[in-house]
Amino acid sequence: MNNDDPYREDLQVIDRELRNHYEYKKQLEMVNERIAEIDAQLTSIGSPRIVSPEEAKYQKGTKIYNNLNMLDLFQEQDELMKQKQDLIYLISRVQVKLNKLDEEDMKLLEQRYKYKKTLRDLAQNMYNGKSTMSRRLDDILLKLI
C-alpha cells in the first residue's frame, strides 16, 4: 500500500492494538498467577505453627513464610485486582473486533502477533510471496476497522 492510502493510519492503529492485545494476555496470566500465590500465602497463615524447617518436612503441604506482612499482601492483591480489571477491559475491546474474523484469519493473526512471525516466515509457511502476505494481512486488518 502506498502512503496516499486513507486506511494506512487505521491499519497502523489496529496493528498496534493487536501487538498490545497479546502482551496484555501475557500480563493477565502473570497477574492471575501472582493473585493465586498471594491467596495461598494468606490462607496458609492460619495453619499450624512450625518451629523449624526440620519439622516442616513432616507436615505435607505446609510452607514456612518468614516475616509475612499481611497488610503488604492485601495492598498488593488490591493493586493486582485493579490491574486485572484494566487488562480484561483492554483485551475485551480487541476481542470484540477479532470475533468478526473466521478461523483461518485468526490463525494468521495469531502467527503474526502472538508468535511474532515475520512476513517472510508467514509467506514461506503459506507458499506465498512476502508482498502477497503483506496484502493479505492488510485485508484482514481492514476487516477489523
Side-chain angles (χ1 to χ4, degrees), residues 68 90 123 126 143:
L68 185 65
L90 292 169
M126 302 188 81
K143 293 178 188 178

Side-chain angles (χ1 to χ4, degrees), residues 40-74:
Q41 286 178 320
L42 290 173
T43 56
S44 70
I45 291 173
S47 59
R49 182 132 177 94
I50 297 172
V51 181
S52 71
E54 216 39 56
E55 183 184 337
K57 291 179 186 176
Y58 300 105
Q59 293 194 18
K60 287 187 175 181
T62 306
K63 294 183 180 178
I64 301 172
Y65 296 104
N66 296 328
N67 301 324
L68 185 65
N69 187 336
M70 287 177 55
L71 182 58
D72 289 344
L73 287 176
F74 281 124

